[in-house]
Amino acid sequence: MEINQIYVNLPVEDVQETRAFWTTLGFSINEHYSDEKAICVVMKENHIYIMFLKKDFFSTFTDRPVAGGETTDASCYRCQQS
């Protein structure tokens, strides 16, 4: 099996602030998968994408509670540009 695309889904409080942050860093947005509930940040075209979803929308994809970060560590990610 070969994986050629990666999509990471993460919850956020504010989609527009998240959009502004990532575009300021120079990343593009795939508007086809973006709306007021989510944005798709292109990390590497045709390979790596991060979907940032509003917390309430994110919660529709799972029966488990969404980690808030105030009292729990949800995960740790590292990005490296070469």
Side-chain angles (χ1 to χ4, degrees):
M1 174 171 64
E2 181 178 322
I3 296 173
N4 57 16
Q5 289 187 336
I6 298 171
Y7 291 84
V8 177
N9 294 283
L10 298 172
V12 295
E13 292 288 338
D14 189 312
V15 170
Q16 293 308 317
E17 280 185 26
T18 304
R19 174 189 287 268
F21 175 81
W22 287 98
T23 55
T24 298
L25 292 178
F27 290 93
S28 63
I29 306 297
N30 182 329
E31 297 296 345
H32 184 75
Y33 297 108
S34 302
D35 59 20
E36 69 281 350
K37 298 182 289 186
I39 61 165
C40 179
V41 178
V42 180
M43 302 307 262
K44 184 173 183 181
E45 190 70 46
N46 297 319
H47 293 287
I48 304 171
Y49 304 89
I50 300 181
M51 292 292 301
F52 291 99
L53 304 117
K54 282 188 80 163
K55 278 189 178 180
D56 57 341
F57 184 51
F58 183 91
S59 68
T60 65
F61 294 94
T62 181
D63 293 329
R64 300 179 71 183
V66 178
E70 298 86 19
T71 59
T72 60
D73 289 329
S75 57
C76 181
Y77 300 93
R78 178 174 177 251
C79 297
Q80 180 176 337
Q81 182 181 14
S82 53

